[in-house]
Amino acid sequence: MIPKELIRFKEVGKPITVLTAWDSISASLVEAAGADVVLVGDSLAMVVLGHQTTLPVTLEQMLHHAKAVGRGFSKPISEQPLVVCDLPFLSYQCGEDKAVEAAGTLLKNSCTAAVKIEGGESEIIKVIKRLIKMGIPVMGHLGLTPQSVHQLGYTQQAEDKISQQRILEQAIELEKAGCFSIVLEHIPSTLCGLIKNNLKIPIIGIGAGEDCDGQVRVTADLLGLSEKQPPFSKALIPGKRICIEALKAWVDQQQHLATNPTTESSQQESDY
Ligand code: KIV
């Protein structure tokens, strides 16, 4: 699937599912789950690399993880999810040439088919237009844009009429610039619905209510593995607890076997 085919999903009312992946194991889970799009999100800075924000992750690290994601797929290429990779902080804010080089590096060396960029200011629109002119599809990202955490915080955005109007206008500009879809993060659901109804390209929400063309989630949040669970993304299972209990049972069993060497070794592991 090429990125602009997602616009067809919106036209026919097919909800779009987007899940993050950061390595071959997470990619294989997300592919098997049937997600339409895999996002190699810069949230991997926190989820995988232990940073407090997305700011420290580098282009080299994003590429390293995008390559691992590609190696995790097992279906034929035509059946694999579409891969979108985040352009990390400072890889596109310093101008169009740098952005083309960064995005091109991801497309040239990994399974990445499109990049995601945060913001809707005029400088960002210029970058997006240049990328698209160079044949690189772009997904926009408005609302809570984590690369601007020091300006916005992690709180809900667009709470007043002026900032709501600004986000609506920016979304329209992103569509005009040629983005094939936009992520709207942590904004009021009424604003999300309004933008969805005014745009032809799909609106993918996270913490933006149900009135979207699709939803995106950080896979580690859904699996209950994240250190900090965002208030708008509920865990489906207590993954961390389940994993710790399983590992602890194994550790305890090894310790028990060491002190009771006659115990049947065939009992050590289950028959998965
Ligand atoms: O980096 C990421 O995982 C994201 C999603 C939260 C949309 O940008």
Side-chain angles (χ1 to χ4, degrees), residues 30-49:
V30 167
E31 181 194 47
D36 301 306
V37 180
V38 166
L39 173 66
V40 185
D42 59 359
S43 56
L44 72 82
M46 289 116 105
V47 172
V48 183
L49 303 177

Side-chain angles (χ1 to χ4, degrees), residues 63-141:
L63 176 60
H64 177 78
H65 286 272
K67 284 180 176 174
V69 164
R71 290 191 289 267
F73 295 141
S74 59
K75 292 186 181 169
I77 285 201
S78 60
E79 291 168 36
Q80 288 172 13
L82 173 74
V83 177
V84 179
C85 187
D86 267 334
L87 277 187
F89 183 58
L90 279 197
S91 68
Y92 61 94
Q93 287 90 344
C94 299
E96 294 142 70
D97 288 349
K98 215 172 160 202
V100 172
E101 204 165 344
T105 300
L106 293 170
L107 265 69
K108 193 177 162 91
N109 299 296
S110 75
C111 56
T112 300
V115 293
K116 178 161 76 59
I117 289 188
E118 296 183 8
E121 302 70 21
S122 55
E123 293 80 2
I124 299 291
I125 300 288
K126 272 194 217 152
V127 167
I128 291 174
K129 283 186 177 162
R130 176 77 172 281
L131 287 169
I132 292 169
K133 209 168 174 184
M134 293 298 120
I136 301 173
V138 180
M139 176 182 262
H141 185 157

Side-chain angles (χ1 to χ4, degrees), residues 3-4 6-7 82 84 114-115 137-139 178-182 201-202:
K4 69 178 180 194
L6 290 181
I7 299 170
L82 173 74
V84 179
V115 293
V138 180
M139 176 182 262
C179 285
F180 67 89
S181 69
I182 302 174
I201 58 171

Side-chain angles (χ1 to χ4, degrees), residues 177-242:
C179 285
F180 67 89
S181 69
I182 302 174
V183 167
L184 292 181
E185 180 166 354
H186 210 6
I187 60 164
S189 59
T190 45
L191 175 61
C192 188
L194 179 71
I195 296 174
K196 184 201 90 174
N197 293 335
N198 274 277
L199 265 59
K200 290 199 170 58
I201 58 171
I203 297 302
I204 314 292
I206 174 165
E210 297 300 314
D211 199 3
C212 314
D213 302 300
Q215 295 284 340
V216 53
R217 291 292 181 276
V218 173
T219 300
D221 292 343
L222 286 185
L223 296 179
L225 296 172
S226 298
E227 273 312 312
K228 285 183 196 146
Q229 192 77 25
F232 50 79
S233 182
K234 297 273 169 285
L236 300 173
I237 51 165
K240 193 164 179 177
R241 181 163 62 71
I242 293 171

